[in-house]
Amino acid sequence: MIIAPDMGRDIQGYVDTLAPALIDLSHRIHANPELGLRETKASAWCAELLRSYGFEVVSPLAGMATAFRASKGAGRPAVSFLAEYDALPGVGHACGHNVIGASAVGAGIALAAVLEKAGLGATVIVDGTPAEETVGGKIPLVEQGLYKDIDAVISMHPDTRSSVGGTCLAVKSLVFSFHGKSAHAAAEPEKGINALDAVIQTFNNINALRQHVKPDARLHGIVTQGGRASNIVPDFAQAEFSVRAADMGYFRDLLERVRNCARAAATATGARLDIAEEPTFEPARDNRTLSRLGLEVLAELSIPAEDHSGRLQPASTDFGNVSQALPAVAFSLKIAPFGTVCHHADFARAAASTEADACVVSAAKAMAILGARLVGNPEVLKEAWAEFRQE
């Protein structure tokens, strides 16, 4: 069954009626930035709006207090929209997750309403996924099987240009904790073991490693603790590094080389090393079938967009883990002039701009229309799944 042409028009009209509430939601989240796994206000506001339109909300979810699953309808196909709402330390919503959260909520509400009106059976889901910037709230959802009965996932991200598709880098964060021995730095330095020296040597080792990695690899880190006073030999120091690469085999090899940089520093200084690791964010998996359909939807909405299928974006997201589990697609939609730097205060300002407000509305329309096309045309879903299984 091919979806009726007026379904898209119905969705656009319905989202227009939701626009004031969605923009208000985006602004409230933006004005109250919350770090990963602490997004109590943002999560509650998203869930509250969904409940008001008849969605059943389950929260907490997968052991996360600020995660939720909101669902409406019954049966298959089942389509999930991903809502993010965590902020960054110091710069607030400099990645525009307020836009992501509000537009996903709007897409879910609009799609469920229009499908009900059209008499089309399906399950519409909005997943509240916390901590994208830190531990990756989507990863437990995947690992606990929450997507095994879902047919497709649709997401979006604000950007400085509009596009559909593409892949990204895998990433894992490593925390190196060095334990030394304190001593008077002037009177008896020979009796100390300097944990900060081990951190500094780790940076030196990794800086040398950077000369000999593939062009897509990224190694970056910070010192999180470096001592308490200059006249005390630091007995504890800590650094955190992120390791990124496009190919998973090379990524695993690179992780071990970075671990060895810290191990060598511990050996050289005599410090004891503990290594803690965050979950792995996997590369996003392209689904050209869904990307093609997404580009068609944006064209119908008069939104110029580029086809980024097969193109590598040198960033990372836990959306990648979802895309490795089932067919998924992400829109990138422009909210700021090209050249505006993400994770910077300029992008945070853009995330509450008039252009961002328009993006909340247009993204909700695009995602809902794409969802409707998948519900109304089972052959497209079969094609997306055939491509997913083949790859």
Side-chain angles (χ1 to χ4, degrees):
M1 176 178 61
I2 303 297
I3 192 165
D6 63 350
M7 184 79 74
R9 290 194 294 271
D10 286 348
I11 286 172
Q12 291 187 62
Y14 197 89
V15 172
D16 285 336
T17 67
L18 291 173
L22 299 180
I23 292 170
D24 174 68
L25 175 62
S26 175
H27 282 214
R28 278 187 286 156
I29 296 172
H30 186 277
N32 295 271
E34 300 167 299
L35 301 183
L37 301 179
R38 305 178 195 172
E39 316 96 320
T40 54
K41 293 178 181 177
S43 174
W45 289 332
C46 291
E48 179 185 11
L49 187 55
L50 287 158
R51 283 193 187 96
S52 72
Y53 283 89
F55 278 73
E56 295 184 6
V57 180
V58 176
S59 182
L61 193 66
M64 296 175 289
T66 55
F68 67 81
R69 168 161 284 184
S71 59
K72 189 175 183 181
R76 307 288 286 271
V79 178
S80 170
F81 301 101
L82 303 182
E84 298 174 9
Y85 30 70
D86 61 318
L88 290 154
V91 286
H93 279 288
C95 207
H97 289 190
N98 57 300
V99 174
I100 300 174
S103 60
V105 168
I109 292 172
L111 177 59
V114 173
L115 289 179
E116 186 177 15
K117 176 184 174 183
L120 291 174
T123 303
V124 179
I125 293 167
V126 179
D127 283 325
T129 63
E132 190 275 341
E133 297 289 357
T134 51
V135 298
K138 299 178 190 64
I139 298 174
L141 302 185
V142 173
E143 291 178 343
Q144 295 187 29
L146 270 74
Y147 293 100
K148 63 182 178 63
D149 295 321
I150 307 298
D151 295 286
V153 166
I154 303 171
S155 185
M156 69 82 61
H157 202 292
D159 207 332
T160 60
R161 62 178 70 184
S162 295
S163 65
V164 183
T167 186
C168 63
L169 300 174
V171 66
K172 180 185 280 288
S173 293
L174 308 173
V175 178
F176 299 129
S177 299
F178 293 95
H179 304 267
K181 182 180 178 182
S182 64
H184 194 293
E188 297 177 303
E190 72 281 1
K191 294 183 179 179
I193 297 175
N194 195 318
L196 179 58
D197 280 347
V199 165
I200 293 170
Q201 191 58 52
T202 299
F203 271 86
N204 290 338
N205 293 343
I206 291 174
N207 285 339
L209 176 61
R210 282 195 181 97
Q211 302 177 61
H212 307 289
V213 299
K214 292 183 177 181
D216 61 57
R218 299 288 189 272
L219 304 171
H220 41 97
I222 59 170
V223 178
T224 54
Q225 295 190 54
R228 297 182 297 275
S230 63
N231 62 348
I232 303 173
V233 174
D235 63 351
F236 181 79
Q238 188 179 77
E240 180 177 352
F241 282 86
S242 292
V243 180
R244 304 181 196 250
D247 175 77
M248 286 301 292
Y250 181 72
F251 172 70
R252 286 187 284 269
D253 176 68
L254 187 58
L255 279 170
E256 186 61 14
R257 294 169 72 185
V258 169
R259 294 185 192 105
N260 285 337
C261 287
R263 291 168 181 148
T267 299
T269 59
R272 177 172 60 84
L273 170 64
D274 291 329
I275 302 176
E277 304 189 6
E278 297 291 354
T280 297
F281 286 37
E282 298 181 0
R285 186 171 177 178
D286 255 336
N287 191 288
R288 294 176 187 269
T289 301
L290 296 183
S291 294
R292 183 187 70 246
L293 192 58
L295 287 166
E296 292 174 3
V297 170
L298 291 183
E300 292 170 15
L301 294 172
S302 300
I303 300 174
E306 303 171 6
D307 182 0
H308 279 192
S309 297
R311 188 180 300 187
L312 175 67
Q313 169 69 19
S316 308
T317 170
D318 57 0
F319 170 80
N321 299 66
V322 178
S323 73
Q324 297 289 341
L326 76 165
V329 66
F331 293 91
S332 292
L333 294 176
K334 182 178 182 293
I335 67 164
F338 184 71
T340 305
V341 178
C342 194
H343 288 203
H344 184 274
D346 289 345
F347 203 90
R349 285 188 285 271
S353 66
T354 302
E355 191 166 6
D357 294 347
C359 178
V360 169
V361 176
S362 59
K365 291 177 179 179
M367 291 191 291
I369 292 171
L370 177 54
R373 297 279 161 88
L374 297 178
V375 171
N377 192 345
E379 292 304 314
V380 175
L381 263 180
K382 289 181 181 178
E383 183 182 348
W385 271 99
E387 177 187 340
F388 178 81
R389 293 187 178 105
Q390 184 177 12
E391 292 183 357

